[in-house]
Amino acid sequence: MRSRRDFLQKLTASFIAMPILSRQSYAETERKLTDIFYDGPVLRVAIMGLGSYGTRVAEAMQACTKAKLVGVISGTPAKIAAWQAKYNIPEKNCYNYENFDEIKNNPDIDAVYIITPNALHKPQAIRLAKAGKHVICEKPMALNAAEGKEMITACKSAGVHLLVGYRMHFEAKTLEVIRMRQAGEFGKILFFQGLSGFRIGDPAQWRINKGLSGGGSLMDIGIYSLNAARYMIGEEPVWVTAQETKNDPVKFKEGVDETIQFQLGFPGGAVASCLSTYAMNNLDRFFLNGEKGFAEMQPGHGYGPIKAKTNKGDIELPHITHQTVQMNEMAAIILEGKQPVLPVDGEEGLRDLKIIDAIYAAVKSGKKIQLTS
Ligand code: NAD
């Protein structure tokens, strides 16, 4: 290990001496070399839910050094067989939704990543916690704050981690904007704007089925603007107001929001104004404004590359597949106790759920809702 590190240091030092390499390509080279020589602990992960995002995560994990895809949980035998062949997954690491409690007897799986429709997150997380496995769960962590609390309690009493798939919390340009804000480079923050949306297709999909999604655009895409309002401003909101617009009540039934605008007030005096929608494309933008400067990110939460600029110019940092970085960092949190810059634990998931509950309550009542921590 020592000699590898010495070798790596010498090798990267020689790159520093090369004037032809920019700071950016030097950092990229250093990262690749670190990956090649990694010989530390590896988190062995099973993915539950082999749908479109599960597929993306599995692909991205092939480039991970600290996390490895070793198992699957699915209700579709054909998908299991295809993933086994593609990722060399042994039969003993394959489960379905009926028998996955047996994972407790499998010492070769450390964590399960839940990537199923939102309504399934809570019961699946609780079963996995009881099976003694670390839980990584997609956003939104659950349907509401009460469910989120149950998940936290179950994971705490089982002594396992509960992490939420907030991939933007590890994204380099996002973290640079946060560093600049923390360093006071934008001055006192007074305003955030978040726009999150896309035109949703198939009316039969689970995303617009209240029973499976828990709501509509806010649960799925608006949560990015909500979460970003908190990490970009760096405070927790104290009040919320919200308004809903529904132009297609046939497609977006009772309890399924098509478009919601919401506003958040922060203790330092900043306000956030956000739009969440399933009715418009090309909404993926964050804007943070302070007394001395601003940051603009567009795209701000898609799969990237993220584009970020501030009053000081463009932020130039290499794009690395978000889910690769996320899974490496989550492995470090679970295996090495690493503290991320932005939290991704159950408490963080719960903060968003409490605000989502309040946004829906504000839509219903038309009133300003005070938030308590
Ligand atoms: P999807 O519909 O593509 O996949 C869902 C999977 O769950 C499918 O394989 C489906 O077979 C399975 N499933 C199990 N039980 C089911 C049931 N009762 N009904 C319907 N499907 C069932 O959805 P997705 O886009 O992969 O989303 C899954 C989760 O991932 C959601 O919570 C979503 O919010 C989240 N997600 C996160 C990101 C991100 O960038 N972090 C991106 C997309 C989706």
Side-chain angles (χ1 to χ4, degrees):
M1 184 79 176
R2 181 69 220 265
S3 58
R4 280 179 182 206
R5 196 174 298 134
D6 289 348
F7 173 67
L8 194 61
Q9 275 167 359
K10 277 185 196 140
L11 204 60
T12 50
S14 67
F15 276 112
I16 300 173
M18 293 170 72
I20 202 160
L21 276 181
S22 65
R23 219 176 122 231
Q24 185 180 333
S25 47
Y26 167 71
E28 180 69 351
T29 306
E30 187 184 39
R31 187 188 65 79
K32 283 187 180 145
L33 288 170
T34 308
D35 282 357
I36 291 166
F37 289 100
Y38 180 75
D39 63 356
V42 172
L43 186 75
R44 298 161 306 170
V45 179
I47 290 184
M48 175 185 278
L50 314 183
S52 70
Y53 196 62
T55 301
R56 186 178 285 273
V57 170
E59 281 298 314
M61 281 184 71
Q62 302 314 301
C64 284
T65 47
K66 296 187 173 188
K68 186 171 169 18
L69 174 64
V70 299
V72 288
I73 300 158
S74 168
T76 314
K79 278 194 207 167
I80 295 183
W83 281 51
Q84 277 190 272
K86 187 166 185 189
Y87 298 116
N88 200 19
I89 294 169
E91 189 66 32
K92 68 174 187 58
N93 288 358
C94 299
Y95 298 88
N96 59 42
Y97 294 110
E98 283 72 46
N99 70 11
F100 76 79
D101 310 86
E102 289 167 21
I103 208 166
K104 69 170 181 289
N105 302 316
N106 190 333
D108 299 329
I109 295 174
D110 304 308
V112 177
Y113 194 161
I114 301 173
I115 315 185
T116 54
N118 308 340
L120 307 178
H121 295 178
K122 182 196 89 166
Q124 290 170 341
I126 291 174
R127 281 171 69 184
L128 290 167
K130 283 187 180 148
K133 301 299 172 188
H134 299 297
V135 177
I136 303 172
C137 181
E138 254 321 310
K139 45 55 56 178
M141 183 171 92
L143 298 186
N144 51 50
E147 283 199 1
K149 283 180 193 161
E150 280 184 64
M151 290 165 73
I152 292 172
T153 304
C155 290
K156 235 181 225 160
S157 54
V160 297
H161 282 270
L162 169 59
L163 304 182
V164 185
Y166 288 122
R167 61 187 160 76
M168 300 315 299
H169 288 208
F170 305 105
E171 195 279 321
K173 290 174 192 167
T174 304
L175 292 176
E176 175 58 10
V177 169
I178 286 161
R179 187 202 62 73
M180 291 176 74
R181 188 255 300 149
Q182 286 173 336
E185 294 186 33
F186 307 131
K188 183 177 160 63
I189 301 296
L190 291 173
F191 181 68
F192 171 82
Q193 184 194 43
L195 306 177
S196 299
F198 64 96
R199 256 187 96 76
I200 199 159
D202 182 8
Q205 66 187 285
W206 68 262
R207 279 184 163 77
I208 43 180
N209 171 333
K210 164 97 171 148
L212 284 169
S213 65
S217 73
L218 180 62
M219 300 297 281
D220 189 37
I221 193 79
I223 190 172
Y224 285 98
S225 276
L226 162 59
N227 190 249
R230 296 174 43 245
Y231 65 65
M232 295 282 265
I233 292 173
E235 294 177 7
E236 292 305 320
V238 288
W239 58 257
V240 54
T241 49
Q243 309 80 35
E244 180 177 8
T245 310
K246 193 176 288 201
N247 290 318
D248 189 345
V250 176
K251 186 168 184 179
F252 303 103
K253 306 231 157 28
E254 180 66 29
V256 178
D257 48 288
E258 178 183 332
T259 299
I260 285 187
Q261 293 184 72
F262 59 93
Q263 303 77 36
L264 305 167
F266 290 82
V271 288
S273 172
C274 302
L275 176 77
S276 165
T277 185
Y278 269 158
M280 285 169 264
N281 281 330
N282 306 312
L283 291 175
D284 182 354
R285 180 175 190 268
F286 298 150
F287 180 73
L288 184 73
N289 208 24
E291 283 180 345
K292 293 202 303 204
F294 70 87
E296 187 177 29
M297 308 185 73
Q298 185 173 10
H301 57 71
Y303 297 137
I306 297 299
K307 281 192 186 157
K309 73 172 181 192
T310 73
N311 50 298
K312 295 183 177 174
D314 290 347
I315 297 179
E316 304 282 3
L317 287 166
H319 167 73
I320 309 171
T321 305
H322 296 173
Q323 298 80 7
T324 304
V325 185
Q326 175 199 321
M327 293 309 290
N328 271 336
E329 291 297 311
M330 286 187 163
I333 291 168
I334 292 172
L335 298 173
E336 300 160 24
K338 185 172 176 181
Q339 288 298 316
V341 174
L342 297 172
V344 287
D345 57 6
E347 297 293 341
E348 172 68 7
L350 179 59
R351 284 181 205 110
D352 277 347
L353 291 173
K354 283 181 179 169
I355 302 167
I356 287 174
D357 286 354
I359 291 171
Y360 283 132
V363 163
K364 221 172 190 173
S365 68
K367 294 202 171 117
K368 187 181 206 177
I369 308 262
Q370 299 297 323
L371 296 162
T372 48
S373 52

